[in-house]
Amino acid sequence: MEAARRRQHPGAAGGPGAQLGASFLQARHGSVSADEAARTAPFHLDLWFYFTLQNWVLDFGRPIAMLIERSPRTLPRSVTYVSIIIFIMGASIHLVGDSVNHRLLFSGYQHHLSVRENPIIKNLKPETLIDSFELLYYYDEYLGHCMWYIPFFLILFTYFSGCFTASKAERWMPGPALLLVAPSGLYYWYLVTEGQIFILFIFTFFAMLALVLHQKRKRLFLDSNGLFLFSSFTLTLLLVALWVAWLWNDPVLRKKYPGVIYVPEPWAFYTLHVSSRH
């Protein structure tokens, strides 16, 4: 009875903290049955609204536990625990490194240059201090991002895998969902570009696309929540393509990002072309 009441009133669980506790107690496992596929969940406006708002305001996906709770298909409980722990550790490492990085910007640090090429870094004495700043950059941009974003996208994909229905009436997005697609897609664009996680994003996107095609053979289609998430990712991919095309011939950013995959960071663009003018 309690589970039925919570499905009918998803907002009754309280805030993200309460949702987190409930998700651990009520995690569900296994594949979706035919009866479950026929029943479709309504569009979770509260989930996606708070998810988008808190991502933008806090740059931290705190409602991530709500995704775990409301998906018909979840990871094993032990994997869920480990994913959330790694997610929080990675986000903490990133926030610490990012805080130091923003303080350095006030001192003249130029984000479009490498650590050793920055004027305020390359003249430090003793020179071993430069190694310390490079280590901080590694913890922030590589280790922290990997620990943060891999569980993040894994949980998103797990949620997405349960967003299929056989009901034709549910294969559309309501008005509020359409309004949230733009800010949601824009946030993921910032996440992909600033976090330098294009490979992880494009892998997740194609995995979602493959799952859609696979489920279509079973006559299962995305419900409103799945359509929202897939539309957000599609918009993100379009924004990333436009961003890269716009800065394709920038010689300074090309030097900063010399690899095969060229996706400049917004902060690098800002320090190069915006703050330098003031």
Side-chain angles (χ1 to χ4, degrees), residues 87-129:
F87 174 83
I88 294 174
M89 290 176 61
S92 301
I93 293 173
H94 165 75
L95 291 176
V96 171
D98 218 33
S99 299
V100 175
N101 183 57
H102 280 277
R103 296 292 295 180
L104 289 174
L105 289 174
F106 293 133
S107 302
Y109 184 85
Q110 300 178 35
H111 200 72
H112 59 278
L113 299 175
S114 66
V115 175
R116 287 190 175 272
E117 291 177 341
N118 262 271
I120 67 170
I121 299 293
K122 65 182 180 181
N123 294 324
L124 285 177
K125 300 297 181 182
E127 292 186 0
T128 51
L129 283 176

Side-chain angles (χ1 to χ4, degrees), residues 42-209:
F43 180 72
H44 301 311
L45 176 61
D46 59 331
L47 186 156
W48 294 115
F49 175 76
Y50 288 122
F51 193 70
T52 303
L53 179 64
Q54 292 193 39
N55 276 337
W56 273 109
V57 175
L58 302 176
D59 193 20
F60 189 81
R62 292 201 306 177
I64 195 71
M66 299 168 67
L67 291 173
I68 301 173
E69 178 191 13
R70 300 195 190 185
S71 174
R73 180 178 301 172
T74 61
L75 295 170
R77 190 171 300 182
S78 58
V79 177
T80 301
Y81 291 151
V82 172
S83 297
I84 292 180
I85 290 172
I86 295 176
F87 174 83
I88 294 174
M89 290 176 61
S92 301
I93 293 173
H94 165 75
L95 291 176
V96 171
D98 218 33
S99 299
V100 175
N101 183 57
H102 280 277
R103 296 292 295 180
L104 289 174
L105 289 174
F106 293 133
S107 302
Y109 184 85
Q110 300 178 35
H111 200 72
H112 59 278
L113 299 175
S114 66
V115 175
R116 287 190 175 272
E117 291 177 341
N118 262 271
I120 67 170
I121 299 293
K122 65 182 180 181
N123 294 324
L124 285 177
K125 300 297 181 182
E127 292 186 0
T128 51
L129 283 176
I130 302 178
D131 297 331
S132 300
F133 277 100
E134 286 189 324
L135 180 61
L136 175 65
Y137 183 84
Y138 169 80
Y139 275 120
D140 177 20
E141 297 295 327
Y142 296 99
L143 181 61
H145 284 187
C146 287
M147 294 177 65
W148 183 3
Y149 295 129
I150 290 177
F152 181 85
F153 280 97
L154 176 62
I155 292 172
L156 281 178
F157 181 78
T158 303
Y159 176 88
F160 180 80
S161 67
C163 294
F164 289 88
T165 176
S167 173
K168 295 181 178 181
E170 296 294 331
R171 283 181 269 168
W172 58 277
M173 286 192 295
L178 295 174
L179 294 177
L180 285 176
V181 167
S184 177
L186 188 61
Y187 174 76
Y188 290 126
W189 164 82
Y190 177 78
L191 213 63
V192 171
T193 54
E194 188 64 31
Q196 294 292 286
I197 55 168
F198 179 77
I199 294 178
L200 177 60
F201 167 77
I202 200 66
F203 178 82
T204 305
F205 177 80
F206 281 119
M208 292 166 64
L209 179 60

